[in-house]
Amino acid sequence: MHQLAVKTGNLVPPHTYVPWLTIDGNHTEELEKEAWQDLIGLICKFYHGPQKPKECAKHFNEIQYVLLP
């Protein structure tokens, strides 16, 4: 817990509310809004692994289906 407290204390910019979302070590209001709107989509967008998890494909297929006329 102490290590997490140290990381929190060293955030740049410093956090001013909780939860304070960081993606790849960055915090912006735009990322925060996107996370509130579509957290799974945001995670999938920034995923750097060799293959996206199956939940990402399922999630994006559902969104595409909903958005199609």
Side-chain angles (χ1 to χ4, degrees), residues 1-15 20 22 25:
M1 288 187 85
H2 176 72
Q3 290 174 338
L4 293 175
V6 170
K7 283 184 176 185
T8 300
N10 291 328
L11 288 171
V12 177
H15 76 288
W20 185 262
T22 60

Side-chain angles (χ1 to χ4, degrees), residues 44 47 51-58:
C44 291
Y47 180 75
Q51 182 177 350
K52 291 201 185 277
K54 63 182 177 186
E55 291 79 8
C56 290
K58 179 180 181 241

Side-chain angles (χ1 to χ4, degrees), residues 4-62:
L4 293 175
V6 170
K7 283 184 176 185
T8 300
N10 291 328
L11 288 171
V12 177
H15 76 288
T16 56
Y17 53 87
V18 178
W20 185 262
L21 178 73
T22 60
I23 302 288
D24 289 338
N26 299 306
H27 172 85
T28 66
E29 293 300 316
E30 185 176 302
L31 286 173
E32 184 96 14
K33 288 178 186 175
E34 191 172 346
W36 282 105
Q37 292 172 352
D38 183 12
L39 182 58
I40 294 172
L42 181 65
I43 291 168
C44 291
K45 183 165 96 174
F46 282 92
Y47 180 75
H48 299 296
Q51 182 177 350
K52 291 201 185 277
K54 63 182 177 186
E55 291 79 8
C56 290
K58 179 180 181 241
H59 178 74
F60 287 119
N61 287 338
E62 288 174 1

